[in-house]
Amino acid sequence: MQKINKNAVLALLTLSSLVFLLFQLYYYRSYLAHKNGAVFSKVRGSQSGQDSTRWHVVRKFLSLISSHNIPVYLIDPLILGLVDKDIEQIRSSSDGPSPECKYFCVPRDFTTFALLDKTWKHEVGLFRTAEKMGFQWLKVLNKDPRLDGMDDLSGTEIPLHYIFKLASHAIHLVVFYERSGNYLWHGPLRLKQHMDRKFVPFRKLHFGRYPGAYEKPELLLVSIDDLKIQIPKNPSSFLEEMTHSRFLECRYREARAFFQLYPDDASVDAVEFRKRAKSLLHLAALTLNNLGVKFWLSSGTCLGWYRQCNVIPYSKDVDLGIFIRDYKADIIPAFQKAGLPLKHKFGKVEDSLELSFQGEDDVKLDIFFFYEEDDHIWNGGTQAKSGKKFKYLFPKFTLCWTEFVELKVHVPCETLQYVEANYGPDWKVPVKTWDWKSSPSNVQYNGVWPVDEWDDVIQIY
């Protein structure tokens, strides 16, 4: 009888333990999961723990920044690319639980977010909370280019990047600053000597190799993998912008050295010309941007930006370049509508096209169209009285953003090679007497327009 009682007690204890364990499991799934976030049981049952770790780190980071009222938005190119494919479904989806972890569980080392500097006060409390939540963090500072100028080469440093690491995943928080050209800018990620270069695989970061310039994005609040998050309203446009976002600063230090050798012209005429040239460039940029035509600073205007961070006062015009593939027939009517009459049109779309518009007080806007060959790029020139053609050869180049006269504009990324091609190795020396047919280092004679084409290829107004 005693033996039977022992077995009964053991059986009862075993049953009680099993019931308790089942209750704990039910409690976790039904209460804690709702409290702490989705579980994604279907997906996580078939995926590795590493995949779910990424989602948990993102959730924890969003909880961290939410507790400090810091508005961030997703700019991770891998995740945005996936989101863009399902954007209509995501926009229209309800707030119900997701059946799977489709986006934040994909294999990657980082998840990248953006922070607008003016929306956040740099609070030490954020980092204390981050540490309590288990995050390791790294702050990257560098010079504030907005304070640079001819009179002051600022040494003030500002935060540009934050890295928050938890377990095997990291969050890259990129700080964007508003610049005077009404655009957003982020700085490069440059580690100081004392920093741990093995903290994360920095070379894999999507942002930070170069500074970047972006338009201010319109944001959309969506639910992705059961996480409420802001994203650019048009992910595909943001991703396209990202591929062409590299930014070059004006070289104020070199410009200051230039003006020590060649004092700047501060005369009334020079000041007035620069004012009119700035106004003309702003109007030209507005007109071409409205047409969706990509352009860049060319010739003397590009030289002025690169050499002295300003308009060259004796240049008397504004020079822009456009690839012929971006030509639109609407360009001439658009400039005329903007109050800039056509002064001359030389060449044709197939060969050596250039346009000149009359600005205020004899300040011209010259637009040169560039043609791409296998190993070089060129633009043409035409002498009206003789029909002679000229060709200006440049090494191939790509386009970067810069800020010039409070305007976000393109310049050739390979600016030195571009300037040297046009002005030779002595480009640092001012030359006030310039013959466009013979002075440029890259000019070549290119024949003569047939007389029967003159009415079409040589038009003066």
Side-chain angles (χ1 to χ4, degrees), residues 5-21:
N5 288 340
K6 271 188 170 183
N7 289 338
V9 171
L10 286 173
L12 185 60
L13 288 173
T14 303
L15 181 61
S16 301
S17 299
L18 181 60
V19 170
F20 181 70
L21 288 172

Side-chain angles (χ1 to χ4, degrees), residues 13-205:
L13 288 173
T14 303
L15 181 61
S16 301
S17 299
L18 181 60
V19 170
F20 181 70
L21 288 172
L22 289 172
F23 172 76
Q24 283 185 313
L25 180 61
Y26 173 81
Y27 177 81
Y28 174 78
R29 291 172 63 89
S30 299
Y31 176 72
L32 290 182
H34 286 293
K35 183 179 179 180
N36 295 329
V39 179
F40 300 120
S41 57
K42 292 181 182 178
V43 173
R44 294 185 185 177
S46 60
Q47 289 186 332
S48 68
Q50 179 69 15
D51 295 333
S52 63
T53 295
R54 300 183 188 101
W55 180 89
H56 279 293
V57 172
V58 172
R59 180 187 61 79
K60 212 164 188 178
F61 171 74
L62 292 175
S63 175
L64 167 68
I65 59 99
S66 176
S67 68
H68 286 74
N69 298 314
I70 302 170
V72 301
Y73 58 96
L74 183 71
I75 57 172
D76 192 280
L78 175 60
I79 299 176
L80 283 181
L82 296 173
V83 166
D84 186 54
K85 296 176 182 177
D86 303 328
I87 189 63
E88 294 305 324
Q89 178 185 344
I90 290 173
R91 282 174 176 167
S92 60
S93 64
S94 64
D95 292 337
S98 300
E100 60 176 344
C101 181
K102 187 176 180 181
Y103 307 99
F104 286 114
C105 289
V106 296
R108 66 197 186 284
D109 295 303
F110 299 90
T111 303
T112 313
F113 289 88
L115 164 69
L116 299 183
D117 169 67
K118 66 179 183 180
T119 63
W120 178 49
K121 296 178 180 178
H122 311 302
E123 299 181 43
V124 176
L126 173 71
F127 306 112
R128 289 176 181 163
T129 307
E131 290 171 358
K132 290 178 182 178
M133 295 175 70
F135 282 103
Q136 295 176 274
W137 58 270
L138 181 71
K139 178 168 68 172
V140 178
L141 302 167
N142 215 321
K143 278 181 56 176
D144 186 350
R146 298 170 300 173
L147 302 179
D148 270 354
M150 296 308 302
D151 300 323
D152 179 30
L153 300 177
S154 170
T156 304
E157 290 194 327
I158 53 175
L160 299 180
H161 299 264
Y162 296 99
I163 308 289
F164 294 88
K165 185 172 71 170
L166 180 64
S168 57
H169 195 67
I171 303 295
H172 181 198
L173 184 58
V174 184
V175 187
F176 282 79
Y177 292 84
E178 190 170 337
R179 300 282 292 254
S180 59
N182 197 31
Y183 62 95
L184 299 180
W185 168 92
H186 74 76
L189 197 158
R190 301 287 182 264
L191 297 178
K192 305 289 175 102
Q193 286 187 348
H194 66 277
M195 289 184 172
D196 180 7
R197 280 165 168 72
K198 295 181 180 179
F199 185 70
V200 290
F202 289 100
R203 293 183 180 275
K204 294 184 180 181
L205 291 174

Side-chain angles (χ1 to χ4, degrees), residues 212-253:
Y214 291 80
E215 295 299 311
K216 297 176 182 177
E218 188 176 354
L219 300 178
L220 180 69
L221 181 64
V222 295
S223 179
I224 301 176
D225 292 340
D226 287 347
L227 298 175
K228 285 286 188 181
I229 196 165
Q230 290 200 102
I231 63 170
K233 188 173 182 180
N234 191 333
S236 60
S237 295
F238 179 84
L239 292 171
E240 173 64 22
E241 192 177 10
M242 180 181 169
T243 60
H244 306 287
S245 62
R246 185 179 173 187
F247 185 92
L248 300 178
E249 292 291 350
C250 180
R251 308 180 323 140
Y252 282 111
R253 192 176 302 278

